[in-house]
Amino acid sequence: MNDWFHKQGGRDRFINWLALDSKLNSALGESWSRIKDYWNAGSSYFARYQLVGWRRLLNEFASESLTMMFGGFVVLYALALPAFQEFDESKFQTGKYAVTFLDVNGNEIGKRGILHNDAVPLDQIPDVLIKATLATEDRRFFEHYGIDVFGTLRAFLTNVQANEVVQGGSTLTQQLAKNLFLSSERSLQRKIKELFLAFLLESRYSKRQILKLYFDRAYMGGGTFGVEAASQYYFGKSVRDINMAEAAMLAGLFKAPTKYSPLVDLAASRARTNQVLDNLVDAGYYTAGQVHAARMNPAKIVENRTTTSPDWFLDWAYEEVQRLAEGKGQYVLTARTTVDLTLQRQAEEALNAALKRNGKTDHFDSGAIVVMEPDGKVRAIVGGPDYGESQFNRATHAKRQPGSSFKVYVYATAMENGYTPDTIVRDASRSCGNWRPSNYGGRGGSGARLPLWQALARSLNTVATELSFAVGRDKVIEMTKRLGIQGVKKTCSMALGDGGLTVLEHTGGFATFANDGKSSRPYGILDITTSKGDLLYSRERDEPPPKQVVSKKVAEEMNTMLYRVVNGGTGGRANLDFTNVAGKTGTSTGPKDAWFMGFTGKYVCGVWVGNDDNRPMRPGVTGGHQAAPIWHDLMTVAHTDMDIPDIPGIPTHPRQVEERQRLAALKAAQVAAGIESPKASDAKSEKIMPDKTRAVLTSLVSALRKAEGAPDEPVTDPSYAKPSDKKPGTSGTGSETPKDKSKPRPDRRATLLDESQDDLALPAAPSSRSASSSVRAQ
């Protein structure tokens, strides 16, 4: 038998397995022997340093300490990282712009920003104000490094003894950190951020710089920021000139400016001032005799100041001005805004009334409202329950889960991809990984077949989710971007509103449908002028016309579906009896957020309620039960007449049809009787009253005033001036009328036009007494 493997040394030419095995065993044995030798040698060497007794205990303690320090460093870094991410250098640059805000008619409504040449240096701030602030807010300010451990413990013990919060443990630096970077939510996370930001501020700024920032940036009530603005607002003079009583009153405002404002509650303000004076004595800055005069002679407040200011709106408008004026080299500006002060007040009252009525029982303490016109003109913004307590604007900066109110974007995408309101769908959805949608209450889809409009009216989660899968979630995201909503992420439950939206951008998205599919980006600035009067920005001039971002057909189909949500669906409590309403409710998991987004032909309004710390509300709370009634109450008072446009795609409301028929019949009767309403052409041709007639009427009014015992004052009509005498800022007689400067000059032509439209208003018959009073006032 031939063995080809052994021929001519064949085995040796491949691998000598025996030799390889021998070498491998030898190498491993030698390596193991050397390792044992090295180990024994090392053990013998280190045996010389073996510690026993107290030395070993000390060594173990040091080792464990280093380990714990390293672990603590890792934990501190993890806790500090979110706080450092909140730190924003731009927060210190708010003095770059100084903006005066006007309403639509040109009346001043507030200011934002700080003029550098108007800011009072710390050396010129009265010593009594500094001492009153330190004695009340932080007595150990110059001794601690951002955190006052002893002060915190003292406040804790005092609060425990009183069984209520009577002292705060936050240092002045912590308060500054909160004012600059954080909201006022009461949560452990916010407090941890505040601590680390306080350390950061102390490391980067001196004590004097921190104190100056605190005096300049603290909110002091009435829309004022900083002690200089507050002194001008409350006392009508610079902070340089205030006395002890006035300084004590200002120092008492830092804690709760709205609660202790003398223009809101004078008794509470006086009590708080006395407490500050007691603090001055307790801290050893003054004696009881030195503060006695301040107790006996309290601060005198300037009474001719408004106590209301659209602060939420102005904060957002200030951000808009900075965006529009960026890079144009102008910093002292005047901006004319879109705010409606009456509507702003009504929105604030509607939110706070709901919080007082249902907040405790339903476990929510916060909310936000935005009201705009269909083209995006923002008329009111409410960013929270109390601006004095927290200036964080929840309407423009808080991103909350919109819940089912997000479904409008999913359904609109479906409409663009061949669906109609009458398309039949099933109450079911496919799974996405391990997740499967369920309807409200945890119920799964029933599998029933129903039209698409009914699925939206009933707010079925299964149908919305299936639609997002069928048309493509990327298309839904593209739809939201077209409507001005950014940051929506592609997730399995995206159709159910699992992302975060602000009330402002969500309201702008709904406004697109009210605007018949045209882009409706929220705006609040009409024009901006420089200190020299030059026009820096004009919306009419500088902004392009709105684009058709959604087809009219899709917008009208969506409006009819949203109309059915209010008339027979989850939004029934938002229905109005005088005009049509279209909208959608929304409730997030928990429930943590309750929404109602809706519109009439005149206004688009978004309402959100919840908790700042994201705590769940009472089980069973929904957008239809809480947010929709707020929307209804606000819109009821917001519409002051029946001149309301129709919602695209929805027939005119029966009440509006009746009103228009009544006006048409009234006009026909006037024409038949030979009576016609004044027209614009008639107004244009109207002549100014002759001087002789005016002189007779003036003498008659003067005689009547004498008969009533009133002082005889010259009567002037600011709307009248001879062509040769009429000058800016002067009356018809050529004399200056300062108190009328801020008010628009009455236009007789506009008056006639208004009179011709009086029949459009809701009927209201003035009494004879009010009519005579108005004559005397004129």
Side-chain angles (χ1 to χ4, degrees):
M1 182 176 178
N2 294 327
D3 185 359
W4 64 269
F5 193 75
H6 286 282
K7 284 183 179 181
Q8 300 177 359
R11 183 183 294 274
D12 295 334
R13 285 201 300 268
F14 285 93
I15 299 176
N16 190 341
W17 295 102
L18 293 175
L20 180 61
D21 180 68
S22 176
K23 289 181 179 180
L24 184 60
N25 288 337
S26 176
L28 290 175
E30 290 178 2
S31 298
W32 179 246
S33 298
R34 288 180 181 178
I35 290 173
K36 290 193 294 183
D37 291 341
Y38 288 144
W39 176 262
N40 293 331
S43 299
S44 300
Y45 177 79
F46 284 107
R48 306 174 187 175
Y49 304 100
Q50 184 175 4
L51 300 176
V52 294
W54 66 271
R55 292 186 178 87
R56 183 171 181 175
L57 291 175
L58 182 61
N59 180 71
E60 293 291 338
F61 178 78
S63 300
E64 295 297 329
S65 298
L66 288 174
T67 303
M68 294 179 67
M69 287 177 61
F70 178 76
F73 176 78
V74 173
V75 173
L76 285 175
Y77 180 78
L79 294 174
L81 191 59
F84 294 156
Q85 291 175 344
E86 296 282 352
F87 189 82
D88 185 2
E89 290 283 358
S90 65
K91 298 291 186 178
F92 298 98
Q93 304 299 323
T94 56
K96 184 177 181 180
Y97 292 93
V99 185
T100 299
F101 290 99
L102 311 177
D103 64 10
V104 177
N105 298 319
N107 301 314
E108 183 177 326
I109 57 176
K111 295 181 179 181
R112 288 294 185 270
I114 301 174
L115 273 172
H116 291 294
N117 57 357
D118 285 347
V120 179
L122 187 62
D123 293 337
Q124 297 181 22
I125 293 178
D127 185 61
V128 64
L129 176 58
I130 296 176
K131 290 179 177 178
T133 303
L134 295 181
T136 304
E137 300 296 331
D138 189 358
R139 297 183 186 181
R140 291 168 44 83
F141 172 69
F142 288 100
E143 300 174 14
H144 60 69
Y145 196 75
I147 308 298
D148 186 4
V149 178
F150 297 105
T152 302
L153 291 175
R154 181 181 65 251
F156 175 76
L157 293 175
T158 303
N159 294 336
V160 169
Q161 293 174 355
N163 199 27
E164 62 178 342
V165 179
V166 294
Q167 282 190 16
S170 296
T171 64
L172 192 145
T173 312
Q174 289 176 262
Q175 295 178 46
L176 177 62
K178 184 188 71 172
N179 292 339
L180 290 177
F181 308 112
L182 304 173
S183 68
S184 294
E185 62 172 323
R186 297 180 179 179
S187 66
L188 180 61
Q189 183 182 11
R190 197 270 294 172
K191 199 66 178 177
I192 292 174
K193 289 181 180 180
E194 182 183 292
L195 295 176
F196 284 103
L197 287 171
F199 284 130
L200 186 58
L201 287 173
E202 290 279 352
S203 65
R204 300 190 62 168
Y205 299 95
S206 67
K207 289 289 186 180
R208 291 178 58 84
Q209 289 174 320
I210 292 174
L211 187 59
K212 182 64 170 64
L213 282 170
Y214 184 80
F215 280 139
D216 283 345
R217 304 301 170 87
Y219 180 66
M220 306 294 284
T224 62
F225 288 84
V227 293
E228 170 65 11
S231 180
Q232 296 284 358
Y233 178 75
Y234 291 113
F235 312 128
K237 59 183 176 182
S238 172
V239 71
R240 300 177 179 90
D241 305 322
I242 62 175
N243 55 36
M244 179 180 289
E246 294 163 343
M249 198 214 79
L250 291 180
L253 291 174
F254 290 115
K255 181 178 181 180
T258 301
K259 179 180 179 181
Y260 296 121
S261 170
L263 297 176
V264 175
D265 190 338
L266 183 60
S269 176
R270 294 273 174 86
R272 177 64 175 169
T273 300
N274 285 327
Q275 185 179 355
V276 174
L277 294 174
D278 291 338
N279 293 337
L280 282 171
V281 177
D282 294 339
Y285 291 128
Y286 293 94
T287 64
Q290 289 174 313
V291 302
H292 180 72
R295 295 185 194 276
M296 295 295 101
N297 300 280
K300 296 181 179 179
I301 310 302
V302 178
E303 297 293 344
N304 58 345
R305 304 298 179 101
T306 177
T307 59
T308 59
S309 174
D311 293 313
W312 301 113
F313 181 92
L314 293 182
D315 287 350
W316 172 70
Y318 183 57
E319 296 173 0
E320 290 294 292
V321 168
Q322 294 180 82
R323 178 179 63 83
L324 295 171
E326 183 66 29
K328 297 185 178 180
Q330 297 291 331
Y331 304 104
V332 182
L333 306 170
T334 299
R336 193 163 61 96
T337 68
T338 61
V339 68
D340 183 330
L341 296 180
T342 301
L343 189 55
Q344 175 73 32
R345 175 180 54 79
Q346 292 169 342
E348 293 175 0
E349 291 174 352
L351 177 61
N352 283 293
L355 291 173
K356 291 178 181 179
R357 182 173 61 248
N358 301 319
K360 289 185 178 180
T361 57
D362 289 339
H363 305 160
F364 65 89
D365 58 15
S366 190
I369 297 175
V370 171
V371 183
M372 64 176 64
E373 294 183 5
D375 68 343
K377 181 186 294 183
V378 178
R379 308 295 275 168
I381 292 179
V382 182
D386 187 351
Y387 188 84
E389 182 178 344
S390 169
Q391 292 85 55
F392 178 68
N393 199 331
R394 298 153 185 84
T396 60
H397 292 136
K399 288 187 173 291
R400 308 291 301 214
Q401 290 187 351
S404 293
S405 63
F406 185 85
K407 293 174 183 176
V408 66
Y409 309 121
V410 179
Y411 278 74
T413 307
M415 296 295 106
E416 286 190 339
N417 287 270
Y419 288 77
T420 69
D422 295 320
T423 299
I424 301 300
V425 294
R426 290 180 65 244
D427 181 12
S429 175
R430 69 192 78 172
S431 298
C432 180
N434 296 325
W435 178 80
R436 179 183 290 273
S438 60
N439 293 319
Y440 179 74
R443 300 185 303 273
S446 65
R449 299 173 65 82
L450 69 167
L452 196 63
W453 67 264
Q454 189 174 357
L456 182 62
R458 293 170 56 187
S459 196
L460 296 179
N461 296 337
T462 52
V463 175
T465 305
E466 178 60 27
L467 282 177
S468 70
F469 294 148
V471 302
R473 287 171 287 172
D474 291 327
K475 291 183 179 180
V476 176
I477 294 175
E478 191 271 335
M479 167 66 75
T480 61
K481 290 180 179 179
R482 268 189 281 155
L483 271 56
I485 298 173
Q486 304 295 328
V488 177
K489 296 181 180 180
K490 182 179 179 180
T491 62
C492 292
S493 56
M494 178 185 70
L496 308 184
D498 62 353
L501 299 180
T502 66
V503 182
L504 181 66
E505 63 181 344
H506 203 13
T507 307
F510 268 73
T512 302
F513 302 104
N515 202 29
D516 208 9
K518 291 183 179 180
S519 177
S520 184
R521 302 295 175 92
Y523 69 93
I525 304 298
L526 296 174
D527 51 58
I528 303 174
T529 56
T530 66
S531 57
K532 296 180 180 179
D534 299 328
L535 186 63
L536 186 71
Y537 166 83
S538 170
R539 178 171 179 81
E540 183 178 359
R541 180 194 67 185
D542 300 330
E543 297 294 340
K547 297 180 180 179
Q548 192 78 36
V549 294
V550 176
S551 69
K552 292 185 177 181
K553 178 177 180 294
V554 170
E556 291 176 359
E557 288 178 338
M558 287 302 305
N559 291 345
T560 59
M561 296 172 70
L562 293 173
Y563 170 78
R564 287 175 168 177
V565 172
V566 178
N567 293 269
T570 60
R573 297 193 180 189
N575 203 5
L576 300 174
D577 60 1
F578 58 87
T579 191
N580 291 319
V581 176
K584 184 69 186 76
T585 57
T587 310
S588 67
T589 304
K592 295 181 179 179
D593 307 276
W595 297 73
F596 184 79
M597 311 297 299
F599 52 88
T600 65
K602 186 174 184 179
Y603 291 122
V604 185
C605 178
V607 177
W608 165 84
V609 294
N611 292 302
D612 288 336
D613 58 3
N614 218 28
R615 285 181 294 107
M617 294 177 283
R618 179 183 60 80
V621 171
T622 64
H625 287 90
Q626 283 302 340
I630 299 175
W631 192 97
H632 171 273
D633 293 346
L634 175 57
M635 289 295 101
T636 298
V637 297
H639 293 81
T640 57
D641 55 51
M642 295 294 286
D643 187 18
I644 305 172
D646 293 332
I647 298 176
I650 300 178
T652 307
H653 191 276
R655 282 285 301 277
Q656 291 177 263
V657 173
E658 293 176 4
E659 182 66 14
R660 292 175 184 179
Q661 292 175 346
R662 184 186 69 82
L663 293 178
L666 179 62
K667 184 176 181 180
Q670 290 177 340
V671 172
I675 304 173
E676 295 185 5
S677 300
K679 300 179 181 179
S681 59
D682 299 331
K684 291 181 180 178
S685 62
E686 184 195 37
K687 295 182 179 180
I688 299 175
M689 182 185 297
D691 293 341
K692 292 183 179 180
T693 304
R694 183 175 301 278
V696 172
L697 291 177
T698 301
S699 61
L700 178 60
V701 171
S702 178
L704 290 174
R705 293 180 63 86
K706 289 181 179 179
E708 293 178 346
D712 188 14
E713 296 178 356
V715 179
T716 59
D717 184 355
S719 66
Y720 167 77
K722 295 180 182 180
S724 60
D725 295 337
K726 198 167 186 177
K727 297 179 182 179
T730 61
S731 67
T733 60
S735 60
E736 190 173 357
T737 55
K739 65 180 180 180
D740 289 333
K741 283 184 177 180
S742 62
K743 299 181 180 179
R745 190 181 301 280
D747 189 347
R748 177 58 182 166
R749 292 175 297 177
T751 302
L752 289 175
L753 288 173
D754 290 342
E755 290 171 355
S756 68
Q757 301 296 327
D758 277 349
D759 288 335
L760 294 177
L762 292 174
S767 64
S768 59
R769 179 176 179 181
S770 62
S772 62
S773 299
S774 63
V775 171
R776 286 198 299 268
Q778 292 175 356

